[in-house]
Amino acid sequence: MRRLWNLEEFPFHPEKLSHNETLMTIGNGYLATRGSFEEGFTGESVTTMVHGIYDHADGMLVPELVNAPNWLPIKITVDGTPFKLINQNEMNLTPKNGALIGYRRNLNLKTAVLTRETLFRAESGAIVRIVFERFASLADEHILAQRVQIVAVDGSPEIEVEAYIDHSVTNMGAQHWGKIETKHDQNTVSVGATTIQSGYRIGMSSVLLSDHKVEILMDTPHKRAVMRTHFTLPREASTTLYKFSSVYTSRDIGDPVLAAQRKLQEAYKTGYDALLQAHCKEWELYWDSSDVQIEGDESAQFALRFVMYHILICAPRHDDDVSIGAKTLSGFGYKGHVFWDTELFILPPLTLTQPQMARNLLMYRYKRLSGARNKAKASGYQGAMYPWESTDTGEETTPSWGDPQQDGTRIRIWTGDSEQHISTDITYGVLQYWHWSGDDNFLKQYGAEIVLDTAVFWGNRVEDKNSRYELSQQIGPDEYHENIDNSVFTNRMVVWHLEQAFALLGWLKNNAPADYQRLVKQLDLNDDRLAKWIDIIQKMYIPFDEQKQIHIQFPGFFEMEYVPVPHYEPRTASVQAIIGHHRTIQTQVIKQADVVMLMALLGDKLAGRDVLINNWNTYFPRTDHGSSLSPAIHAWVAARLQLGDIAAEMFEHAAEIDLNDNKGNVRDGIHGAASGGLWQALVLGFCGLHLDDNGQPAVDPHLPAHWKSVSFTVYYRGEKRHFTVNNPVVETLNA
Ligand code: IFM
């Protein structure tokens, strides 16, 4: 059940365990923890990911974000019956296990506090209400807090509570922690661990606070120290326990265990209520800039808050050396790797509502220019060519082979070789940030180097043939068609990139001559190179059908088998899954917005309305939406083309990707790009936010017919601008 700020689970849905575990992730931009249970549950995927902690395990093809020790465990027994969630069926068969007689869980998106209320009957017949609450402090990102209230509803039960840090964690079996040390003093327990290959260290400390004495015992088989308390709870009496935990890594400080121990002292001296208050205050500030209000559509309203919540909990606040992976920090999907998803999908809502965090994400790319230069050099090119998948090192980390299929064979993955448009996507993110933030210092010191050295790469990469410039062996956004020549998306975006590089050089020359000179020298932007850029801008091959007045996704595309995608509706699987991979790649079925993505990014700079409509009519019916990145982009473009119904339908589709698990893989993590895409479909698509010819923010709304209004705030050059867009259609209808 959803209310405007609350994601609720009522009653317990064991069949949606992994789905809800992902949706109910909490985080603070430093780390995130999935919505697993304090007492554990079979089949859970208990995960805490801390930004930047990658490791390459033995026998694995690529590095991945590492699952940190689990800070959640709080195990309660009631008159000797362990408290746990029990399936209804199991309950009657095994009364000795106790019975769960009430359950409600709520993630408050406004405060990022996860609460679970349960009613539990022990074998003795005693009934207790147990309320769990947790948050990852936004006011101090190293503090994690849990509160447990226990009320004796019936009977006077003996209660025992045990809490600890579980360091026996893996990434679905892959072991990343090598040297593990546990420590304890009279009150606290600590874990120190080092990743096997990369050598990152983590320090985690916890304390359990109770009105009753807490002792520390050694659990020798599990090699861990456990904090335990026990007491009798008189009928109708209640008690509250607190568990505080603290986390540091060697990315933050030399001795993470010591730092965690010290921070823990600070946390429990401050106390739960004050920590919670400070945390909520920070969230209030977040929403003050990042909330969007939609009048007239509660589902859309909730979906927008949900996606923004998930972007905010993983967006680094104080760290400019990490970025956001495709599945945020909420699951193992794509191993925490950073794709174009970040700059073209997740970044824009941050650029416009939390510019400092957008800057952090772009700095991550700046600091990895050497990885991009290595990749270009290794492929025989000049300049900087960003990896398709990136981790801490900035080197290419796309696996060359997929996981084994049923018959044991593996499919070759070409994206790391051929999906080269990412260098331009990053440039798009840099320039969008600059235009909106007016952060000239960032541009001069960092951003310009990204834009220009990736331009150097393209200037060198293009092939001079057939009296024009071409690009062979590419993968555009439509990944069903691999290693094709002259992807219109890539070729056209390269032209855009080189045009922008020129404009930037002009700006630098006038506004930052020293930086201009430095970059010209450093990147060897000599006259010959610049003359070639002009030539490329003029002579790049942009596949276009003059007769039909459409862009051609790539030459040869229309010679392949036509499969009428709409005929497969209604469907829950992708057309690729229905007709098979081998057939799909020989047809005109498109995985995701490709030419339509180009239309989203360039708008009317790509072509006049007639061509844009022709493109839409050609490509929309061929698109599978086999990637979660697709529906939101279609909603955005359809809104700009004033195709109201289809825009609303695509928006709804995008909004449900995680909430309804309509791709069936939410257990692997939140779809970060679909989240950012939804925000863009609303603000850039329906509301038409743009910078006008004078460089000022302006709107051009085309809202779905049943919406009354949309209000949002964006930052423009350091100032907040608030927009309320009313729907003229509704006004007319109501008149
Ligand atoms: O980057 C995307 C790609 O466009 C489609 N496949 C999944 C990747 C990660 O989300």
Side-chain angles (χ1 to χ4, degrees):
M1 195 185 136
R2 305 164 195 171
R3 282 187 260 126
L4 291 184
W5 282 104
N6 293 286
L7 178 66
E8 204 167 81
E9 181 190 22
F10 172 74
F12 179 42
H13 281 287
E15 77 289 358
K16 290 193 184 166
L17 185 78
S18 320
H19 181 199
N20 282 327
E21 204 180 1
T22 300
L23 299 191
M24 301 222 176
T25 298
I26 56 163
N28 57 10
Y30 174 77
L31 55 67
T33 298
R34 284 165 65 83
S36 317
F37 298 119
E38 284 77 0
E39 67 284 0
F41 193 88
T42 310
E44 277 187 335
S45 172
V46 184
T47 312
T48 290
M49 309 247 222
V50 185
H51 262 311
I53 306 299
Y54 289 92
D55 185 64
H56 194 158
D58 233 14
M60 292 196 62
L61 291 175
V62 289
E64 63 184 339
L65 258 188
V66 176
N67 191 6
N70 176 19
W71 55 279
L72 296 177
I74 301 179
K75 312 244 168 166
I76 301 170
T77 54
V78 183
D79 281 340
T81 309
F83 164 77
K84 61 173 188 156
L85 307 185
I86 298 159
N87 291 336
Q88 294 297 321
N89 310 340
E90 224 182 295
M91 220 167 73
N92 301 329
L93 295 176
T94 54
K96 72 176 178 348
N97 286 341
L100 180 73
I101 49 182
Y103 175 98
R104 185 188 298 273
R105 186 155 59 144
N106 184 63
L107 174 65
N108 185 332
L109 303 176
K110 201 170 195 171
T111 58
V113 174
L114 181 62
T115 311
R116 179 167 54 124
E117 242 183 296
T118 62
L119 206 55
F120 182 72
R121 188 175 58 231
E123 193 189 347
S124 64
I127 295 178
V128 288
R129 175 187 312 285
I130 309 181
V131 183
F132 297 89
E133 189 172 273
R134 74 172 77 138
F135 64 94
S137 172
L138 195 63
D140 186 332
E141 62 192 19
H142 299 285
I143 296 178
L144 307 162
Q146 290 163 281
R147 183 174 70 185
V148 187
Q149 292 172 309
I150 310 176
V151 184
V153 174
D154 203 352
S156 301
E158 283 286 314
I159 306 285
E160 185 180 273
V161 180
E162 287 192 350
Y164 54 89
I165 300 168
D166 182 6
H167 55 71
S168 66
V169 289
T170 65
N171 282 39
M172 298 192 298
Q175 185 57 260
H176 289 289
W177 297 112
K179 202 170 136 221
I180 299 176
E181 287 172 296
T182 57
K183 284 188 186 174
H184 66 93
D185 57 23
Q186 282 186 329
N187 305 310
T188 66
V189 297
S190 301
V191 169
T194 308
T195 55
I196 297 171
Q197 169 269 329
S198 52
Y200 288 114
R201 281 169 294 126
I202 195 165
M204 211 181 251
S205 291
S206 293
V207 66
L208 178 70
L209 303 181
S210 162
D211 293 340
H212 307 89
K213 186 173 160 24
V214 177
E215 48 185 355
I216 298 199
L217 310 165
M218 276 317 291
D219 172 356
T220 316
H222 293 104
K223 298 196 187 102
R224 64 185 168 221
V226 175
M227 301 169 284
R228 189 177 72 176
T229 181
H230 57 98
F231 46 86
T232 304
L233 205 55
R235 180 186 292 269
E236 292 181 20
S238 74
T239 191
T240 303
L241 299 102
Y242 302 94
K243 182 180 177 189
F244 295 113
S245 302
S246 173
V247 190
Y248 278 88
T249 75
S250 51
R251 292 190 62 252
D252 310 309
I253 203 157
D255 187 341
V257 175
L258 186 65
Q261 286 168 332
R262 289 194 174 142
K263 179 59 73 179
L264 195 62
Q265 309 280 340
E266 217 183 277
Y268 71 78
K269 277 190 194 132
T270 308
Y272 189 89
D273 291 344
L275 288 173
L276 179 62
Q277 207 181 7
H279 164 79
C280 293
K281 217 165 152 195
E282 291 299 320
W283 269 97
E284 214 175 295
L285 294 177
Y286 262 18
W287 287 119
D288 198 39
S289 314
S290 295
D291 190 27
V292 172
Q293 281 148 3
I294 302 172
E295 234 196 312
D297 188 334
E298 291 200 347
S299 302
Q301 172 68 83
F302 181 78
L304 249 294
R305 286 182 175 151
F306 175 81
V307 295
M308 204 60 206
Y309 165 85
H310 274 283
I311 291 174
L312 291 173
I313 63 168
C314 67
R317 263 156 83 84
H318 305 300
D319 193 343
D320 67 0
D321 208 7
V322 295
S323 189
I324 301 175
K327 299 284 182 161
T328 69
L329 289 174
S330 60
F332 293 130
Y334 292 117
K335 302 187 182 303
H337 291 189
V338 181
F339 295 68
W340 72 318
D341 304 37
T342 311
E343 283 75 16
L344 288 191
F345 295 80
I346 301 171
L347 186 74
L350 295 171
T351 291
L352 287 158
T353 74
Q354 305 282 348
Q356 179 54 41
M357 292 195 257
R359 189 183 200 274
N360 286 343
L361 294 175
L362 292 169
M363 284 303 293
Y364 162 86
R365 291 297 193 181
Y366 173 75
K367 291 182 177 186
R368 278 153 191 80
L369 263 171
S370 62
R373 287 174 178 139
N374 291 343
K375 182 170 175 182
K377 198 165 172 196
S379 314
Y381 302 119
Q382 298 170 347
M385 175 197 199
Y386 276 99
W388 177 245
E389 295 185 31
S390 179
T391 56
D392 51 343
T393 61
E395 304 297 324
E396 179 60 78
T397 43
T398 307
S400 299
W401 298 93
D403 290 332
Q405 310 213 88
Q406 271 176 348
D407 61 2
T409 58
R410 291 174 184 263
I411 289 189
R412 176 73 166 86
I413 296 179
W414 289 103
T415 48
D417 307 71
S418 311
E419 203 153 352
Q420 296 174 358
H421 62 79
I422 185 157
S423 294
T424 288
D425 309 332
I426 292 169
T427 283
Y428 194 96
V430 167
L431 293 176
Q432 189 180 44
Y433 168 76
W434 176 51
H435 290 311
W436 280 91
S437 67
D439 187 350
D440 293 348
N441 284 336
F442 168 81
L443 187 77
K444 288 188 264 188
Q445 290 175 43
Y446 312 111
E449 199 173 325
I450 297 179
V451 175
L452 295 170
D453 214 21
T454 44
V456 169
F457 159 68
W458 283 124
N460 188 244
R461 168 69 186 83
V462 295
E463 298 140 41
D464 184 355
K465 54 183 184 195
N466 302 322
S467 315
R468 60 193 183 193
Y469 290 97
E470 300 193 4
L471 276 168
S472 59
Q473 292 284 106
Q474 295 298 309
I475 303 180
D478 167 22
E479 295 171 336
Y480 288 165
H481 298 101
E482 295 172 323
N483 297 331
I484 47 127
D485 295 346
N486 295 309
S487 142
V488 73
F489 176 89
T490 309
N491 288 18
R492 182 62 184 85
M493 287 305 290
V494 167
V495 171
W496 171 88
H497 189 152
L498 295 179
E499 285 167 349
Q500 299 301 315
F502 263 109
L504 174 59
L505 277 173
W507 185 89
L508 286 169
K509 201 172 184 175
N510 291 332
N511 298 282
D515 292 298
Y516 171 79
Q517 294 296 348
R518 172 178 59 82
L519 289 165
V520 165
K521 194 161 168 224
Q522 183 194 333
L523 307 178
D524 191 19
L525 304 177
N526 56 53
D527 290 348
D528 288 348
R529 194 186 295 285
L530 300 190
K532 185 171 177 196
W533 289 4
I534 294 182
D535 208 34
I536 298 168
I537 291 170
Q538 290 167 350
K539 297 208 301 233
M540 187 80 185
Y541 173 38
I542 308 296
F544 190 80
D545 184 327
E546 290 294 344
Q547 209 191 347
K548 296 194 177 122
Q549 288 290 298
I550 52 166
H551 286 93
I552 300 172
Q553 189 176 305
F554 58 89
F557 177 80
F558 291 107
E559 272 102 78
M560 292 185 299
E561 181 196 354
Y562 171 70
V563 172
V565 172
H567 291 188
Y568 286 85
E569 302 292 350
R571 61 188 165 101
T572 48
S574 65
V575 172
Q576 183 209 31
I578 298 169
I579 68 171
H581 177 71
H582 288 295
R583 180 166 164 220
T584 306
I585 60 177
Q586 295 171 55
T587 71
Q588 294 176 34
V589 178
I590 301 165
K591 180 176 181 181
Q592 65 200 84
D594 186 296
V595 174
V596 172
M597 185 76 203
L598 190 59
M599 289 160 65
L601 297 180
L602 299 187
D604 56 14
K605 289 184 193 68
L606 178 65
R609 184 176 163 82
D610 288 352
V611 171
L612 298 181
I613 287 281
N614 293 344
N615 281 346
W616 175 273
N617 290 337
T618 306
Y619 293 107
F620 178 63
R622 288 170 166 80
T623 305
D624 187 9
H625 306 298
S627 160
S628 65
L629 277 64
S630 193
I633 300 303
H634 279 84
W636 170 4
V637 172
R640 297 321 308 145
L641 294 176
Q642 300 175 40
L643 305 172
D645 291 348
I646 199 72
E649 190 187 306
M650 284 288 113
F651 185 86
E652 221 172 280
H653 183 162
E656 294 298 316
I657 285 174
D658 285 323
L659 285 169
N660 271 359
D661 198 7
N662 67 11
K663 299 238 164 268
N665 59 2
V666 175
R667 65 180 179 278
D668 300 333
I670 289 291
H671 295 85
S675 304
L678 193 75
W679 187 95
Q680 294 187 75
L682 176 70
V683 175
L684 309 183
F686 289 134
C687 299
L689 180 72
H690 62 283
L691 292 174
D692 67 15
D693 293 344
N694 303 318
Q696 289 296 313
V699 289
D700 172 24
H702 295 288
L703 303 186
H706 62 290
W707 292 13
K708 280 194 191 146
S709 69
V710 176
S711 301
F712 60 92
T713 304
V714 292
Y715 273 95
Y716 174 68
R717 300 186 169 248
E719 277 177 18
K720 274 184 173 176
R721 296 280 176 97
H722 186 77
F723 289 89
T724 294
V725 169
N726 292 310
N727 196 346
V729 179
V730 170
E731 273 172 20
T732 321
L733 288 177
N734 291 344

